[in-house]
Amino acid sequence: MRAARLIKMVLLLQSRPSMTGGELARELEVSERTVARDVLSLSEAGVPVYADRGRAGGYRLIGGYRTRLTGLGRSEAEALFLSGVPSALREMGLADAASAARLKVSAALLPELRDAAAGAAQRFHLDAPAWYQEPETPALLPEIADAVWDDRRITARYLRKDTAVERELEPYGLVLKAGVWYLAARAQGDFRVYRVDRFTAVAPVADHGDGRDHGAHGARFVRDGSFDLPAFWAERADQFARSLLREEVVLRLSPRGVRQLPYVTERAAAREAVEAAQAAGGPDGQGRLTVTLRVESAEVAFAQLLALGPEGEVLGPAGLRERFAAAARRTAALYG
């Protein structure tokens, strides 16, 4: 721990002309007295740290000293490519690695680390969270993230509805979608998606004596080189969204309503409905387009399509049309 702090101090001083004791203390999360002791230790070890006294004083390296400890480690290099999503880094327990990596960005990557960007992209994918939503961090996320980084098999207990099931998984990647973490994993030869907050227990797979690569933290698996996490997630997310759309609503839309439809309901369903209606004949003589829209349910459609106001008229089913008519009457009464 102290050795890592001393290295970080040298890197900080190497990246700036000078730093005060207070600045170093804040960066290293220690007291100024500890900073003074660490500077003394570095000087005794031959690192030329000079202390300027006085109000404008501070610490600096003498004579352009450069440490050789600037090469990025793999975890630091991979974390660096995720440094734009600091909240995700904190939740996965990678904030310290990212901090160390940012101190070393001026150093060239070694040849064997040049795949770090691709490695990070194939293990973690950010599907932007919804605004104004505070995500909750699943308790087992750091352990799962460790297994993903290190290609380690895990045994996981998972809640499926009200039933707990146990699976041996090859954890390929994590996705953060609208504040919810999902794990893409291979189980029994098939790739599947699991909500991380439904895991109740995770443990590394022990050595089964099967000749596979086993390390100190459990059994490793060999990644399928053809697996593409962003593409896999896009496909599964689309399949999931479509599986929810079990009912249909017929709408007559004004030109403005056509433009608003993707913003009040499922985008792909709105696009398909509009394209099909335009291909079938397009707008009527008043410029209004009649579309058949796939929706999750009449209840959901009522809540979503109210946002269209007078730019959309529900033609069917009859029960939903009557709900909109009743809502329109109540609104008209409110405004006199």
Side-chain angles (χ1 to χ4, degrees):
M1 185 70 177
R2 184 165 184 261
R5 188 175 72 242
L6 292 174
I7 293 171
K8 187 173 182 179
M9 177 182 288
V10 174
L11 292 171
L12 286 167
L13 293 173
Q14 184 173 298
S15 64
R16 307 178 194 182
S18 68
M19 295 183 69
T20 66
E23 290 171 337
L24 283 169
R26 285 191 295 274
E27 289 281 356
L28 299 172
E29 299 180 350
V30 296
S31 67
E32 291 190 42
R33 181 174 296 180
T34 299
V35 168
R37 286 199 298 265
D38 287 351
V39 167
L40 180 61
S41 296
L42 288 173
S43 297
E44 292 174 348
V47 178
V49 182
Y50 180 76
D52 289 317
R53 306 297 179 184
R55 182 179 299 177
Y59 298 99
R60 60 185 174 87
L61 294 174
I62 300 174
Y65 175 85
R66 307 290 292 181
T67 176
R68 295 180 181 180
L69 298 172
T70 54
L72 290 173
R74 172 164 293 278
S75 64
E76 295 168 342
E78 291 174 329
L80 182 60
F81 293 101
L82 291 170
S83 59
V85 282
S87 61
L89 282 170
R90 285 194 301 272
E91 292 180 16
M92 290 186 291
L94 297 171
D96 289 342
S99 176
R102 283 192 291 270
L103 290 174
K104 301 180 180 182
V105 291
S106 60
L109 287 175
L110 296 173
E112 61 266 30
L113 299 181
R114 288 173 185 162
D115 65 339
Q122 290 307 317
R123 285 168 171 79
F124 298 97
H125 173 56
L126 177 67
D127 193 341
W131 287 2
Y132 316 122
Q133 180 174 332
E134 187 67 27
E136 294 185 4
T137 304
L140 296 174
L141 178 61
E143 289 89 338
I144 294 172
D146 284 345
V148 170
W149 277 124
D150 210 22
D151 297 338
R152 300 284 181 179
R153 287 185 174 87
I154 57 174
T155 299
R157 190 174 299 116
Y158 182 81
L159 286 179
R160 180 182 293 169
K161 295 184 179 179
D162 295 327
T163 304
V165 296
E166 191 167 291
R167 295 283 185 271
E168 182 174 317
L169 304 177
E170 295 178 354
Y172 267 67
L174 285 163
V175 176
L176 177 61
K177 168 67 174 178
V180 179
W181 284 95
Y182 296 88
L183 172 68
R186 185 161 58 184
Q188 300 174 338
D190 295 326
F191 286 102
R192 303 175 187 179
V193 175
Y194 302 85
R195 275 187 61 144
V196 175
D197 58 7
R198 292 181 183 169
F199 285 100
T200 59
V202 171
V205 172
D207 190 341
H208 299 306
D210 53 10
R212 296 183 298 189
D213 179 17
H214 298 274
H217 302 288
R220 278 200 173 97
F221 64 91
V222 178
R223 296 179 68 89
D224 182 344
S226 66
F227 178 80
D228 185 284
L229 179 59
F232 169 79
W233 175 257
E235 178 185 355
R236 289 303 174 93
D238 183 63
Q239 290 175 358
F240 177 73
R242 289 175 181 275
S243 71
L244 296 177
L245 307 179
R246 303 183 181 93
E247 300 184 25
E248 292 184 344
V249 172
V250 180
L251 295 168
R252 184 184 291 127
L253 301 168
S254 69
R256 185 175 180 181
V258 171
R259 295 193 297 271
Q260 289 180 338
L261 188 63
Y263 298 99
V264 302
T265 189
E266 209 278 322
R267 284 179 176 268
R271 183 180 64 250
E272 291 173 1
V274 169
E275 290 175 352
Q278 290 173 336
D284 60 20
Q286 296 179 320
R288 301 177 79 85
L289 185 69
T290 300
V291 304
T292 300
L293 176 70
R294 296 179 63 199
V295 296
E296 184 175 343
S297 66
E299 191 68 33
V300 171
F302 179 73
Q304 292 177 336
L305 299 177
L306 272 176
L308 292 175
E311 307 304 329
E313 178 188 0
V314 174
L315 303 179
L320 184 60
R321 178 179 172 84
E322 177 51 37
R323 287 191 67 181
F324 273 88
R329 289 191 293 268
R330 293 196 304 271
T331 302
L334 284 174
Y335 289 94

